[in-house]
Amino acid sequence: MMAEAETINIKAPVKLTKKDFTSDQVVRWCPGCGDYAILAAMQTALPMLDIPRENHVFVSGIGCAARFPYYMETYGFHTLHGRAPSIATGVKLANPHLTVWEMTGDGDSLSIGGNHFIHTLRRNIDINIILFNNEIYGLTKGQYSPTSKKGLVTKSTPYGSVETPFSPGELVIGALGSFFARTIDTNPKHMADTFIKSVGHKGTSVVEILQNCVIFNDGTHDLITSKDTKDDYQLLLEHGKPMIFGKEKNKGIKLNGLKLEVVKLGENGITEKDLLVHDAYEADPTLHSMLARMQAPAFPVAIGVIRAVKQPTYNDLVFEQIENSKQKQKFKTVNDLLNSGETWIVE
Amino acid sequence: MMAEAETINIKAPVKLTKKDFTSDQVVRWCPGCGDYAILAAMQTALPMLDIPRENHVFVSGIGCAARFPYYMETYGFHTLHGRAPSIATGVKLANPHLTVWEMTGDGDSLSIGGNHFIHTLRRNIDINIILFNNEIYGLTKGQYSPTSKKGLVTKSTPYGSVETPFSPGELVIGALGSFFARTIDTNPKHMADTFIKSVGHKGTSVVEILQNCVIFNDGTHDLITSKDTKDDYQLLLEHGKPMIFGKEKNKGIKLNGLKLEVVKLGENGITEKDLLVHDAYEADPTLHSMLARMQAPAFPVAIGVIRAVKQPTYNDLVFEQIENSKQKQKFKTVNDLLNSGETWIVE
Amino acid sequence: MVQELEKVVVKFAGDSGDGMQLTGSQFTNTSALMGNDLSTFPDFPAEIRAPAGTYAGVSGFQVQIGNTEINTPGDEVDVLVAMNPAALKVNLHSLKKGGIIIADSDGFDPKNLNKINLSSNPIEDDTLSEYKLIKAPITSLTKKSIEGLGLDTKSQARCKNMFSLGVMYWLFNRNIDSTVAFIDQKFKKDLQLGDANKKALFAGYHFGETIEATPSYTVKPAKIAAGKYRQITGNTALAWGLLAASEKTAKHLFFGSYPITPASDILHELSKYKYWDVKTFQAEDEIAAICSAIGASYAGDIGVTCTAGPGLSLKAEAMGLAIMTELPLVIIDVQRGGPSTGLPTKTEQADLLQALYGRHAESPLIVIAPNTASNCFDFAYMAVKLSIEHMTPVIILSDAYLANGSEPWKIPSVNNLPAIQIPIAKFDAENKYFPYERNVEKLSRYWAVPGTKGLEHRIGGLEKEDKTGSVSYDPVNHEKMIHIRAEKVARVAQYIPEQTVIGKEKSELLVVGWGGTYGALLTAVKELQLENESISLAHFNYLNPLPKNTAEVLGNFKKILVCELNTGQFAHYLRASFPQFKYEQYNKIQGLPFGVRELKEQIKKYLIK
Amino acid sequence: MVQELEKVVVKFAGDSGDGMQLTGSQFTNTSALMGNDLSTFPDFPAEIRAPAGTYAGVSGFQVQIGNTEINTPGDEVDVLVAMNPAALKVNLHSLKKGGIIIADSDGFDPKNLNKINLSSNPIEDDTLSEYKLIKAPITSLTKKSIEGLGLDTKSQARCKNMFSLGVMYWLFNRNIDSTVAFIDQKFKKDLQLGDANKKALFAGYHFGETIEATPSYTVKPAKIAAGKYRQITGNTALAWGLLAASEKTAKHLFFGSYPITPASDILHELSKYKYWDVKTFQAEDEIAAICSAIGASYAGDIGVTCTAGPGLSLKAEAMGLAIMTELPLVIIDVQRGGPSTGLPTKTEQADLLQALYGRHAESPLIVIAPNTASNCFDFAYMAVKLSIEHMTPVIILSDAYLANGSEPWKIPSVNNLPAIQIPIAKFDAENKYFPYERNVEKLSRYWAVPGTKGLEHRIGGLEKEDKTGSVSYDPVNHEKMIHIRAEKVARVAQYIPEQTVIGKEKSELLVVGWGGTYGALLTAVKELQLENESISLAHFNYLNPLPKNTAEVLGNFKKILVCELNTGQFAHYLRASFPQFKYEQYNKIQGLPFGVRELKEQIKKYLIK
Ligand SMILES: Cc1ncc(C[n+]2csc(CCOP(=O)(O)OP(=O)(O)O)c2C)c(N)n1
Ligand SMILES: Cc1ncc(C[n+]2csc(CCOP(=O)(O)OP(=O)(O)O)c2C)c(N)n1
Ligand code: SF4
Ligand code: SF4
Ligand SMILES: [Mg+2]
Ligand SMILES: [Mg+2]
């Protein structure tokens, strides 16, 4: 089965260029913030899509990440903290031909916006949620977020946080999400590629970006992203490919009963054939959930499209109902409606 | 490993009886509503616990289900639509010695209250959430809810609902829930038993009750609950027991790769040994998730405690921090604090 | 003997499960078809189906019909149908002395008497000596009438409301045909049940004929304006007004809502019109509901959201966003009793100050209130018009009384509704589009809809720079924008009708009201005018901004009496807006509409010179 | 030559990353320790760290120090430290003609000039000819001074704020010791960096000495009341006031909050005091925050929640629940610029009407507002006292100006704070506990805490029956309860101080203010009084209910001028409450506090006879 993610019309950037997607606003993130790379990746990706500029709408909530729309020369709406999924839903239902992006932070979408997030996923509204996960509230100057590691000392947790962080991927799957991918602010090509795939997916796409906040949570993703360790702690998933990783490409992921395990190729007779082969399009979420859950240092962290399952979208179903009901329209005009049912004439 | 659920002090109802837990308020549910049986089961269960009556607090949101506290002769707080988890959190943190119940409907906790629901689970606040799932908004007279079956025709979906329903168990697990059980309004003993187990669990316990709304969604659980079909569509889970079901106790659940399948004992050489044995205390959520996901008619629906994993609770961790910090208290009194740091004397 | 009446108030009361709402509507429909003017007041409990026989379970439906203009469902009941003791007790206090009671004597059994702690049976002792009592064994007669149809007991019991309706039809010489047609239609898939209902209806009718306990009555058609009429409730009228606006503007309606009593029926009604591209989105909560509507408005639909008090509280933050981004948005608030969950099924007018001020910081918006069930249609339409033409949110304050009450409505033609100008921004290669450039008269900005080539732009909740709409923290710009937003709303006064006065323009006492209390105030004032009192009524529909002649109107009277179903919110607002006048108040806050008699009594206090 | 000054206004301005807030605080601390009275005004951008060198990135810290009473951070700046061209340009308009500018000449490089589109360098051309300009190559001198310590360039650059502080210390003859101690403490884990900071500080000091470009100044200690003093900001004072109330009542503090500018620091501060059983709960949103606080109050803690405007909007519904269930609850709103996201770091007083009316239906609660950074302590304490003693929610309206500004505070003793009576319900076998039985004077109900044997009861958001607290839909009971809840809040007027007047009790003009504008209004009024104007000030802390002598106070003046940082909300409220008086208004809504000079100018308009 070929998923939508693969069928998207990718064309050479003939008409539009990165510059066409760059607005005249001064970018106001802290120097060194991972958000710059995300912006650049987006501005690189969009010209590769066969979508007119005016059909892109960037909706965001509140947070550092949520400043994103100001910097894109497209339609943009910087809304309320946590409410971007609902605004985006309205935009998509008003005009399903638009490509709707939701740019959001871990606080914006998983803390105050958690409910809209899970309901959007359940409904499978065809929007692309780009989740900047810096595991901190950046804009409010450094409180722990629902993805902060347990024990983290922040302004609001001087004794260390006692909360277990959400695993965005698991939450997405628990909320019946049809698309989940993970990428990294230090890998521009992979980001751009993932954005394109998210557009290709019909339904709610969630792209988690491991993003570094240099000011309030510097280095939180270091183990996964830094030059020295990344090969050992990133598992680059590609559909149809075996799950191999490691500096020497000699480690792999194997299923052991209902658990995953890291194995070494060559050791104990393990060969590539023993490894799991990634199937992003499998409807059953069991393995996707396990992959999303993998955490360093016990496991490598899965990067790439973990899940991309074709499921009817809310917007398609609504417009189908609209079309179908037009076949058996009860009233032609509002005047007909007003004059329907029991009426009487006074002379 | 022995889970808390098993160690709870169950004692003969010496001092308290069902009557002691019955308030003087007239019960105002529709005749025939499943809620009556739930009330009776709760009033039967509580005397079996070694907990003084004044230590029970029933918190609820808004909905038919949420009327529950009025009928219990305990402390009770009928709060706001969707907000019961937050109120309950405040109660538990103010006084961790209280046994806090949250009585809620599918709309109350999964629609408007979804965010508080998942955050309560993530934090693992030690409260017991009893979720009356009638797959409808009862109190507002019959709109579809986030658990209504796709296609359901209701007042707000005259053309049928286009939304995929949440599976409460999967959502609980996606939100890192430590305890999930399912029970049925037609089985009073099992309900009472499950309530007791939920109290035994330290952490957020979610008990989903398949509840019948006679007025607006009559019979939605019929396949699972009716006399004729229930044996074939209920899988009664017990920790340590093989997963057997069916009128003739001749069907079972077997693992096939990463999927579950229904098998017949005796057919194709299948014996009890091939069946899965339930382990509610396994920390890895993979199998629990699969069990929670099983749906009739392809599968029987899992009834009983699906997951009960010991994990630190938010409240315990907070009170630990409080105690620990008392060892190295920086100031003795507020006066000390006011006089600390840089001060100067004006003469 | 048939006695002719000018008007009569009838009330059907029984258990929630007894079908009294249906009985009441049928009686109403038939009377409407027979040409009466009328007004209804359904009154049901917060519980879906509270225990049978208890006070909590009583469901009532009151209707006043007349051959003259009828503006309220009536203070006092002339004829009460009581299906059980609880229904009798709850309603007795509003029954006119000498009024008629039709009691289902089967319902007055020991079990039901017990439920409300009655030791003696009121239809047997002398409790009702001041009334005309018709004891009818409705339940058993119904059963008897449909014996042999093979219905189960539950279905049999469900027919008794038709029996009582039959009795009333006989009593009031009503035409039975339309109800027969209704039954045929409703039970077209269960002919047996349809048959049973009809049998019960006729049995009741014949029972009335047989016992002839009282004279029977008739109410002649009212002399009302010629035309085609129908009945309509406030909630339906709101829904239809939105549909009309959508048709007129050729813009799709997007309705984001979360169910809540007493507003949900608007969602139910609109969800039927998918074929007119109406998108009803049942959101996960009120915040998602309003935000989806804002998103839809941003993308070019007519965004509407709808709720009651608790939901209005939740929408406060998002209203601020719509104000800042200057997008059209209609917010319907069907007011109910509060605070908090309060009295969810009862009526009240206590959300006014919240509608005016219930958002952080300086955030003015338009507030309007319909005053009859039928003109809910006009104000829903008007809300869309104002919201789009002035690019600002509009709150409609309806209430539970208007929402559920119904009245005959002379059907308007959509063709005659005022045009709606849409300030759409178009691409123009010569002139750059600035999101906050404004129409010089209205100060409204122009609506640039995503998907339009060349108008790409960014908006949001941070303060905007004048004209460009860029984010601006400039102090002077902020003050300027605060004033522009306020002035934009203030200028709406130039586009709405002036305030009218019913009665003399200048006189002794001006009664002031707003919204759903119109029927009662009008009736009271007109009756007093007939009594030659020097009194007029100014009933407000436009609350913010107030009509531009408001001060003038108020200034023409020696005394002003503001009557509201709250503790005096409109009076408070008028006092702050026009402190030069003195305002007296009459307030009631019982979850009930005003009664005409109580109003007249109160008003008279201010007429003593 | 050392010149003595009565008071002086100093402003440090640079990039967000330049450490100007720290420099400002150190200068303030030292001045406080040297006995000056003072007032500060930190002013930072909404961005965490906007691009270096841009206007958006400018972060400022203003302080006025004096040997007399100081109530504001000052209108006009005497000495401006500008680290780059953007910082200079943004602040130049408020620099006094003839004032001193200390500019980091290294920061005025082509790159930075370019960023704000300057073609000519203002410290080289004649832009600053009307000022005294001290050009100091701060960046390069700093680097030089710490050469050889082996610091990387980034760390080196971070020391330049200490250099500029050193220059200022020399200029104002400040004692350098406390900053040295501060550095030692701060860098005790990185001695190298500590060393560098000290070296830079001394280098700056010596630079000042060396160039001797101007006379140096001194500001003698102020003659203020004897006692022990400290500095405090409004946010810290609010936090500590709550701690004091917790200690005094021996009840645990539960603080449920969701971070939001400018309120988050209260959460940060309180989260340190776990050892005093303070539970800070960082909720998932504002609704969960207030609800957790309500739950905690219900269970016997002191429930507090804290937010700014957008969050206050979100809490509206839950406030209604606390009102209906009559539980203690303190809601802190640190006001900021709006509407919507607005100007998140700027000050404003525009949430007043929302605090008064921003909930559905009739839902009165207590509203109070501190007026100085330090009396935030007292009003936080008072909020807890009123909330518990009267069993009703209390809103505290602070603002961004009070929140971040600091002033010297004569340290009070917790022992002297007024006692707090807790209306706790106790089990009594003789008398059944009724949840809605009331204290006859205050009308407050009694608090029955879960876990108390024999007091099991149920409460909730549906209307309550008088006394029993059972759910009641009774019309007359509803009206009664509405009135009781209103009267309960109204009676608080008997328990709060009467309104005082600064100046003559009876005179020509009464200036009226409330909350955070006190310092500016007081200074303006006092200066005018010195100019022999017939003027007094009534500054309100208790907004609902108003002090019981309010009408009396207002009635003693020929004219009343209400000054607010909004479009006139308090004036509107006074007009509605006491329509017998005429109110003039002066309003400013620029995200900035009042300046003394502008106030005097405006006030004078009403003093012309
Ligand atoms: C209703 C509301 N509550 C709180 C805030 C304050 N606030 C703004 S952004 C934010 C959290 C930002 O965290 P995140 O979404 O992770 O974004 P980041 O800044 O880290 O990119 C908070 C709490 C707000 N603006 N509105
Ligand atoms: C803020 C708010 N929004 C909406 C409502 C209306 N409302 C009350 S209960 C309910 C849904 C009830 O459904 P559920 O939780 O499934 O409970 P059930 O009645 O089915 O037991 C709704 C929408 C409300 N009371 N408050
Ligand atoms: S605070 Fe963190 S996330 Fe925000 S702009 Fe700065 S570095 Fe980026
Ligand atoms: S409406 Fe449904 S859920 Fe509610 S009380 Fe009636 S039967 Fe029960
Ligand atoms: Mg973040
Ligand atoms: Mg339900």
Side-chain angles (χ1 to χ4, degrees), chain C residues 55-352:
Chain C
Y55 291 134
V58 176
S59 172
F61 188 102
Q62 182 169 326
V63 53
Q64 175 162 212
I65 60 176
N67 66 19
T68 59
E69 197 182 310
I70 299 293
N71 292 302
T72 77
D75 289 16
E76 291 196 311
V77 174
D78 296 296
V79 183
L80 172 68
V81 176
M83 303 299 279
N84 65 26
L88 177 74
K89 287 280 282 190
V90 165
N91 290 292
L92 200 55
H93 69 100
S94 65
L95 186 62
K96 198 176 276 173
K97 289 274 160 322
I100 300 172
I101 298 166
I102 301 176
D104 177 2
S105 52
D106 296 327
F108 287 72
D109 59 3
K111 207 180 85 202
N112 278 341
L113 293 169
N114 228 349
K115 276 195 186 140
I116 56 165
N117 297 320
L118 278 187
S119 48
S120 160
N121 189 342
I123 64 168
E124 302 297 346
D125 62 25
D126 58 0
T127 310
L128 306 178
S129 54
E130 290 183 297
Y131 306 93
K132 290 188 205 128
L133 173 65
I134 305 179
K135 286 189 278 185
I138 295 181
T139 309
S140 45
L141 287 178
T142 303
K143 274 193 190 150
K144 219 169 273 166
S145 72
I146 56 178
E147 250 171 14
L149 285 179
L151 259 68
D152 58 61
T153 340
K154 209 166 140 192
S155 304
Q156 278 181 11
R158 285 227 181 117
C159 294
K160 70 182 172 194
N161 62 336
M162 283 298 137
F163 189 101
S164 55
L165 183 62
V167 178
M168 293 293 281
Y169 276 3
W170 175 79
L171 197 61
F172 287 97
N173 282 283
R174 304 282 90 179
N175 188 327
I176 216 158
D177 299 348
S178 73
T179 296
V180 168
F182 165 82
I183 294 172
D184 283 342
Q185 170 63 20
K186 181 165 178 197
F187 296 103
K188 66 174 176 241
K189 285 188 186 145
D190 189 343
L191 296 179
Q192 194 194 28
L193 207 57
D195 237 37
N197 272 283
K198 281 189 280 183
K199 281 226 158 77
L201 178 71
F202 282 106
Y205 196 89
H206 297 140
F207 172 82
E209 220 168 3
T210 316
I211 60 159
E212 256 188 48
T214 54
S216 84
Y217 303 97
T218 188
V219 182
K220 288 259 180 74
K223 286 142 234 99
I224 45 180
K228 191 166 170 189
Y229 281 78
R230 65 171 304 125
Q231 266 203 82
I232 194 149
T233 65
N235 272 349
T236 308
L238 283 172
W240 291 5
L242 298 174
L243 292 175
S246 169
E247 183 174 285
K248 197 84 170 189
T249 51
K251 280 200 151 292
H252 297 171
L253 184 64
F254 180 94
F255 188 82
S257 185
Y258 185 70
I260 189 167
T261 305
S264 314
D265 280 338
I266 304 173
L267 167 65
H268 304 159
E269 178 62 20
L270 285 173
S271 59
K272 297 175 191 163
Y273 305 99
K274 285 243 152 47
Y275 50 79
W276 283 337
D277 297 289
V278 174
K279 288 157 259 178
T280 51
F281 176 64
Q282 182 178 308
E284 59 273 22
D285 66 11
E286 282 84 354
I287 300 176
I290 187 172
C291 286
S292 66
I294 292 173
S297 272
Y298 168 67
D301 273 4
I302 300 173
V304 180
T305 188
C306 171
T307 191
L312 193 68
S313 286
L314 288 168
K315 291 176 199 287
E317 190 203 9
M319 285 185 220
L321 178 67
I323 288 167
M324 183 64 106
T325 53
E326 308 194 28
L327 286 168
L329 176 70
V330 174
I331 302 136
I332 301 174
D333 174 26
V334 185
Q335 298 168 96
R336 63 185 218 183
S340 198
T341 312
L343 299 174
T345 58
K346 306 293 175 191
T347 201
E348 206 155 284
Q349 295 187 298
D351 295 348
L352 172 62

Side-chain angles (χ1 to χ4, degrees), chain D residues 37-333:
Chain D
D37 197 4
L38 57 83
S39 171
T40 73
F41 181 54
D43 182 22
F44 32 77
E47 284 76 24
I48 303 306
R49 215 148 283 180
T54 63
Y55 290 133
V58 175
S59 172
F61 188 104
Q62 182 169 324
V63 56
Q64 176 163 212
I65 61 175
N67 67 18
T68 60
E69 196 182 310
I70 299 293
N71 292 301
T72 77
D75 290 15
E76 291 196 312
V77 174
D78 296 297
V79 183
L80 172 68
V81 176
M83 303 299 281
N84 66 27
L88 177 74
K89 287 281 281 190
V90 164
N91 290 292
L92 199 55
H93 70 99
S94 62
L95 186 62
K96 199 175 277 175
K97 290 273 158 333
I100 300 172
I101 298 167
I102 301 176
D104 177 3
S105 53
D106 296 327
F108 287 72
D109 60 2
K111 206 179 86 201
N112 279 341
L113 293 168
N114 229 346
K115 278 197 186 139
I116 57 166
N117 297 320
L118 279 187
S119 47
S120 159
N121 190 343
I123 64 170
E124 301 298 346
D125 61 23
D126 58 0
T127 309
L128 305 179
S129 54
E130 289 183 297
Y131 307 92
K132 291 188 205 127
L133 174 65
I134 305 179
K135 286 190 278 185
I138 295 183
T139 309
S140 46
L141 287 178
T142 302
K143 273 194 190 149
K144 219 169 273 166
S145 72
I146 57 179
E147 248 171 17
L149 284 179
L151 259 68
D152 58 60
T153 340
K154 208 166 143 193
S155 304
Q156 277 179 11
R158 286 228 180 115
C159 294
K160 70 181 172 195
N161 62 335
M162 284 297 136
F163 188 100
S164 55
L165 183 62
V167 178
M168 292 295 279
Y169 276 3
W170 175 80
L171 197 61
F172 287 97
N173 281 285
R174 305 280 92 179
N175 188 326
I176 215 160
D177 299 350
S178 73
T179 296
V180 169
F182 165 82
I183 294 173
D184 284 342
Q185 169 63 21
K186 182 165 179 195
F187 296 103
K188 66 174 177 242
K189 285 188 184 144
D190 189 343
L191 295 180
Q192 193 192 30
L193 208 58
D195 237 36
N197 271 284
K198 281 188 280 183
K199 281 225 158 79
L201 179 70
F202 282 106
Y205 196 89
H206 297 140
F207 173 81
E209 221 166 1
T210 315
I211 59 160
E212 258 188 45
T214 54
S216 84
Y217 304 96
T218 189
V219 181
K220 287 257 178 77
K223 286 143 233 97
I224 45 181
K228 191 166 171 191
Y229 281 78
R230 65 173 304 128
Q231 266 204 82
I232 193 149
T233 65
N235 272 348
T236 308
L238 282 173
W240 291 5
L242 297 174
L243 293 176
S246 169
E247 183 174 283
K248 198 82 169 190
T249 53
K251 283 200 149 291
H252 298 170
L253 185 64
F254 180 95
F255 188 82
S257 186
Y258 185 69
I260 189 167
T261 305
S264 314
D265 281 337
I266 304 174
L267 167 65
H268 305 159
E269 177 63 20
L270 284 173
S271 60
K272 298 175 190 162
Y273 305 99
K274 285 243 151 49
Y275 49 78
W276 283 337
D277 297 289
V278 174
K279 288 157 261 179
T280 51
F281 175 65
Q282 182 177 308
E284 58 274 23
D285 66 11
E286 282 84 353
I287 300 177
I290 186 173
C291 286
S292 66
I294 292 173
S297 272
Y298 168 67
D301 273 5
I302 300 173
V304 180
T305 188
C306 171
T307 191
L312 194 68
S313 286
L314 288 168
K315 291 178 199 287
E317 190 203 10
M319 285 186 221
L321 178 66
I323 288 167
M324 183 62 105
T325 52
E326 307 192 30
L327 285 168
L329 176 70
V330 174
I331 302 137
I332 300 174
D333 174 27

Side-chain angles (χ1 to χ4, degrees), chain D residues 363-608:
Chain D
S363 33
L365 44 65
I366 299 173
V367 182
I368 63 181
N371 58 2
T372 64
S374 60
N375 79 14
C376 282
F377 178 87
D378 306 298
F379 284 95
Y381 185 87
M382 197 61 182
V384 175
K385 179 173 157 72
L386 292 175
S387 184
I388 291 183
E389 293 186 345
H390 299 267
M391 292 290 281
T392 181
V394 176
I395 293 181
I396 301 178
L397 287 178
S398 179
D399 60 45
Y401 171 76
L402 292 180
N404 298 317
S406 65
E407 57 175 10
W409 180 39
K410 189 169 163 213
I411 303 171
S413 165
V414 173
N415 316 343
N416 299 334
L417 295 172
I420 298 178
Q421 246 80 44
I422 307 177
I424 210 85
K426 298 217 178 73
F427 177 67
D428 171 353
E430 311 289 291
N431 296 298
K432 189 167 159 27
Y433 166 70
F434 290 106
Y436 280 69
E437 201 156 61
R438 294 169 190 282
N439 172 306
V440 285
E441 268 116 41
K442 296 201 181 82
L443 297 184
S444 53
R445 70 181 196 92
Y446 295 91
W447 198 2
V449 174
T452 315
K453 199 181 173 74
L455 300 188
E456 293 85 352
H457 69 284
R458 273 71 46 199
I459 58 173
L462 288 164
E463 183 59 284
K464 302 271 146 292
E465 187 176 69
D466 187 23
K467 186 172 170 183
T468 68
S470 301
V471 173
S472 165
Y473 301 126
D474 181 70
V476 174
N477 175 76
H478 177 49
E479 186 155 273
K480 184 172 179 187
M481 295 303 280
I482 293 272
H483 288 308
I484 288 178
R485 286 186 290 262
E487 175 66 16
K488 181 180 69 169
V489 171
R491 286 199 190 171
V492 170
Q494 307 304 322
Y495 299 85
I496 57 172
E498 297 208 341
Q499 181 59 40
T500 57
V501 170
I502 296 166
K504 288 199 215 101
E505 291 281 326
K506 223 182 171 104
S507 158
E508 197 57 31
L509 177 66
L510 181 70
V511 173
V512 169
W514 65 275
T517 52
Y518 175 73
L521 288 173
L522 180 70
T523 309
V525 167
K526 281 203 167 169
E527 289 186 17
L528 288 165
Q529 284 170 346
L530 287 178
E531 294 169 24
N532 278 321
E533 296 287 2
S534 202
I535 181 178
S536 299
L537 171 67
H539 200 85
F540 285 77
N541 296 108
Y542 293 93
L543 307 179
N544 192 43
L546 288 162
K548 60 177 187 286
N549 64 331
T550 302
E552 208 180 296
V553 165
L554 298 174
N556 280 334
F557 294 83
K558 294 219 183 94
K559 287 184 197 156
I560 301 169
L561 173 64
V562 187
C563 302
E564 303 172 76
L565 299 176
N566 58 38
T567 64
Q569 300 191 2
F570 193 56
H572 180 96
Y573 174 56
L574 285 176
R575 226 166 256 139
S577 307
F578 306 105
Q580 65 268 40
F581 307 119
K582 194 162 171 287
Y583 304 88
E584 308 291 346
Q585 291 179 211
Y586 176 55
N587 300 99
K588 171 174 170 180
I589 184 140
Q590 305 189 352
L592 293 171
F594 281 130
V596 172
R597 194 164 66 182
E598 72 178 306
L599 276 177
K600 285 174 69 180
E601 261 168 33
Q602 294 295 333
I603 294 172
K604 275 184 181 158
K605 292 186 189 163
Y606 299 93
L607 288 168
I608 300 160

Side-chain angles (χ1 to χ4, degrees), chain A residues 146-158:
Chain A
T147 58
S148 294
K149 297 186 172 73
K150 207 167 185 162
L152 191 72
V153 171
T154 70
K155 286 205 180 125
S156 55
T157 51

Side-chain angles (χ1 to χ4, degrees), chain B residues 29 33 35 61-67 80-83 104-112 131-141 143 145-147 211 213, chain C residues 48 258-261 264 285-286 307-312 314 336 341 344, chain D residues 317:
Chain B
W29 289 308
C33 176
D35 292 357
I62 301 286
C64 296
R67 291 297 182 96
L80 298 172
H81 195 32
R83 316 305 173 189
T104 180
D106 43 318
D108 194 46
S109 63
L110 299 181
S111 191
I112 190 168
L131 200 173
F132 297 43
N133 188 359
N134 55 12
E135 300 181 356
I136 200 86
Y137 293 168
L139 192 68
T140 46
K141 305 197 174 162
Q143 299 83 13
S145 92
T147 58
Q211 177 241 324
C213 168
Chain C
I48 304 305
Y258 185 70
I260 189 167
T261 305
S264 314
D285 66 11
E286 282 84 354
T307 191
L312 193 68
L314 288 168
R336 63 185 218 183
T341 312
Chain D
E317 190 203 10

